[in-house]
Amino acid sequence: MDHQCKECMAPQIELDVNHMMADALGDKGICSCCVDKMKDAAAKAYQAVTENRGTGWLGWTELPYNQEEIVADIEKTAADVRRDFEAFVVLGIGGSALGPIAIQQALNHLHYNELPDGKRPGPRFYVEDNIDPERMAALFDVIDVQKTCFNIITKSGATAETMSQYLILSTALKEKVGEGWQKHIIATTDHEKGNLIRLAHQEGFKLFYIPASVGGRFSELSPVGLLPAAVCGIDIRGMLSGAKCMDNRCKSDDVWQNPALLEAVLQYICMQEMGRNVQVVMPYADSLKYMADWFCQLWAESLGKNVTRDGQPCNVGQTPTKALGVTDQHSQLQLYTEGPYDKVVTLMKVGSFRCTTEIPHGCDEFKDVAFLGGKTLNQLIEAERQGTEYALYKAGRMSQTITLPVVNAQTIGQLIYFLELTTAYAGELLNIDAFNQPGVEESKIASYAVLGNESEKYAKKREEMTHRAERKAKYIL
Ligand code: PA5
């Protein structure tokens, strides 16, 4: 493969599936003829995604191309935020939070908030993606509300977690800022649906829109992810250009030419034919730690479904779980190499880290310590990744490696688009709707019912909940 994009000359990420295949793993791997057998199904999945680009729930496919004005507005707004505020807080959950967290971790200093002013490319940055009361209180201990900008992100404009956070912070702003408090809020939401858009119009908040055809977990390359990234000094045009590169590389219905299609087919075989129902995503880089989290939501919420598109019952999906190399070698790897044959491990490798950390010479009297001297942590982490890959291979466990030659805006844009496309193709292969999440609704409605919402839907749910099997004292110790 080419290691550079022919158009923009950016380095390209690479997918290496050697250790998924029977050529390496014998009967514990996938025979290339099984991939060939899925040629037609793969081409059909490709066509379905390609023909519907930009429509229905596939609006995210066009985000690298159709946001010129929006990006200019984001950049201007981001510059204003950097000038006027010392902290920027994202309030959102799920697809409205995981992307901003992942991008910040990937593309900014690993101790960004602790950097002194002047060395930080933007204000201190927090993403509050939970409603733990202690966490919310803790936030107010470390920010000065009068110098903070809040970005409320909710596609539906109705998510209880985010809207309660809105009530808390808008009250704090009214108290502490008074007149002009609205200038401390930027809303990112749907054009029409939900309460946030109405509030935004009523109060005059600065607004960014999430296109109707872009679902929460596919929204990272929309203002959901771009605004927080731009505020923190990240090259958002580079991210979009990386996404374009990947889109170009995936313009083939030939499974052996299109990396996202190949990945979707391999994972389809893993889950549907080989019982590999768990995918461990294990980056060997702290910068990519939360990309794994972001992917876990994308893969789980998109593919975990109980009905096919034709209305047939099914229970499909592959459980994604994250691990961090090398930390989790000392926690999880024992299970991956000797536990049940139910997993496939996706290693993420960084070709060249953004700095080199040398290990000094010393401890000459201890040979096994002394040999580390003169090497670098860069060499050590890569050696450990190779060690894990080999241990998995030797134990007959499937693994694959996604290499980012460097972690930068371009390669992260490629990675995001690659994983989104893979998910969309996998949804087609499974013949399910990868863009809904009905399973999440039940818990939302039930929690509103518990909290005493009086509207009919929740009252009915409250009544229904009284009929569940009674808790027995003998099971509570
Ligand atoms: O992918 C999804 O659609 C969900 O995970 C949502 O992002 C999440 O439930 C938050 O929804 P909203 O952005 O509407 O507040």
Side-chain angles (χ1 to χ4, degrees), residues 28-42:
K28 296 285 190 298
I30 299 171
C31 176
S32 64
C33 60
C34 295
V35 177
D36 291 333
K37 266 193 224 147
M38 288 198 58
K39 224 172 71 196
D40 292 345

Side-chain angles (χ1 to χ4, degrees), residues 19 282 284 326 329 333 337 347 379-395 399:
H19 285 191
M282 191 168 187
Y284 272 72
V326 305
Q329 279 180 218
L333 188 58
T337 52
L347 303 167
Q379 289 171 304
L380 182 58
I381 198 168
E382 172 52 13
E384 298 220 25
R385 191 201 63 76
Q386 288 183 25
T388 296
E389 184 186 52
Y390 182 73
L392 290 167
Y393 159 78
K394 197 165 169 221
S399 76

Side-chain angles (χ1 to χ4, degrees), residues 359-374:
I359 308 171
H361 290 283
C363 297
D364 291 341
E365 61 281 34
F366 303 104
K367 261 169 70 186
D368 288 346
V369 180
F371 96 102
L372 295 166

Side-chain angles (χ1 to χ4, degrees), residues 93-96 154-157 159 162 216-217 297 301 437 444:
I93 197 163
S96 294
T154 165
K155 168 83 194 286
S156 61
T159 299
T162 309
R217 55 192 173 275
Q297 186 220 8
E301 211 165 281
Q437 53 282 326
K444 278 194 192 173

Side-chain angles (χ1 to χ4, degrees), residues 221-242:
L221 296 174
S222 79
V224 169
L226 297 182
L227 176 64
V231 165
C232 295
I234 288 167
D235 170 18
I236 57 173
R237 289 179 192 266
M239 284 168 59
L240 293 170
S241 139

Side-chain angles (χ1 to χ4, degrees), residues 313-443:
C314 69
N315 292 103
V316 296
Q318 186 188 46
T319 305
T321 174
K322 66 163 180 187
L324 180 66
V326 305
T327 308
D328 285 312
Q329 279 180 218
H330 300 272
S331 157
Q332 305 291 310
L333 188 58
Q334 172 63 30
L335 173 72
Y336 304 161
T337 52
E338 295 190 6
Y341 281 91
D342 59 355
K343 294 173 202 63
V344 48
V345 181
T346 300
L347 303 167
M348 285 187 186
K349 167 184 166 180
V350 173
S352 179
F353 283 84
R354 289 169 288 206
C355 74
T356 303
T357 302
E358 283 172 10
I359 308 171
H361 290 283
C363 297
D364 291 341
E365 61 281 34
F366 303 104
K367 261 169 70 186
D368 288 346
V369 180
F371 96 102
L372 295 166
K375 301 201 169 53
T376 63
L377 288 184
N378 309 52
Q379 289 171 304
L380 182 58
I381 198 168
E382 172 52 13
E384 298 220 25
R385 191 201 63 76
Q386 288 183 25
T388 296
E389 184 186 52
Y390 182 73
L392 290 167
Y393 159 78
K394 197 165 169 221
R397 310 302 167 126
M398 283 195 232
S399 76
Q400 57 179 359
T401 301
I402 299 173
T403 300
L404 283 78
V406 286
V407 178
N408 64 20
Q410 280 276 349
T411 56
I412 288 295
Q414 292 174 37
L415 184 64
I416 289 171
Y417 205 83
F418 165 73
L419 294 170
E420 289 180 343
L421 260 185
T422 300
T423 305
Y425 293 145
E428 291 299 326
L429 292 169
L430 290 166
N431 190 26
I432 48 103
D433 182 346
F435 302 103
N436 64 5
Q437 53 282 326
V440 181
E441 288 305 306
E442 181 66 25
S443 110

